[in-house]
Amino acid sequence: QVQLVESGGGSVQAGGSLRLSCAASGRTDCIYKMHWYRQGPGKEREFVSTIVSGGLIIYADSVKGRFTTSQDKASNTAYLQMNSLKPEDTAMYYCKSTTRAPCEVQNYWGQGTQVTVSS
């Protein structure tokens, strides 16, 4: 199993920046992809970014050019640097890990960290 703990959320004014962290523990050797998702008030959870172990990174159109995802394999931590934040970025942010064979193929979620952007 993999355990994920997010941190770094908070309140910021529009135009500001925050950096979220997602610390993984457990069977981190099984992790193939790390993802960020968010869920705004009254909205469905939506994809933000994915980083694959080989280095491929994918972003949602809504965050391209403003958010940057990265990972530190030595510390098993993924990051989401968020710049030029907008009120519509207000959401609970979750990280998710996807494991692959020969480990059990599974998705694991963290508990989330709240980001609030005021205008």
Side-chain angles (χ1 to χ4, degrees):
Q1 286 192 344
V2 174
Q3 295 79 42
L4 302 172
V5 178
E6 301 98 331
S7 61
S11 297
V12 65
Q13 289 192 328
S17 298
L18 284 173
R19 189 177 81 154
L20 306 183
S21 300
C22 175
S25 60
R27 290 301 307 271
T28 57
D29 57 309
C30 298
I31 296 174
Y32 175 51
K33 299 178 184 178
M34 293 290 290
H35 318 265
W36 288 96
Y37 282 76
R38 66 186 182 185
Q39 187 166 14
K43 298 180 180 179
E44 294 187 354
R45 192 170 296 190
E46 65 175 2
F47 166 78
V48 175
S49 70
T50 290
I51 183 166
V52 184
S53 60
L56 176 66
I57 299 175
I58 303 168
Y59 295 100
D61 287 343
S62 59
V63 306
K64 277 181 183 177
R66 300 188 299 121
F67 290 12
T68 302
T69 193
S70 61
Q71 64 179 18
D72 179 357
K73 292 185 178 181
S75 64
N76 297 309
T77 302
Y79 300 97
L80 184 67
Q81 176 67 44
M82 305 185 295
N83 299 327
S84 302
L85 282 162
K86 305 174 181 180
E88 51 264 44
D89 294 318
T90 294
M92 184 72 80
Y93 283 72
Y94 300 90
C95 69
K96 180 179 84 170
S97 68
T98 301
T99 56
R100 63 175 171 179
C103 303
E104 180 182 11
V105 179
Q106 184 66 275
N107 288 312
Y108 298 91
W109 290 88
Q111 83 290 348
T113 185
Q114 178 68 39
V115 171
T116 302
V117 184
S118 59
S119 57

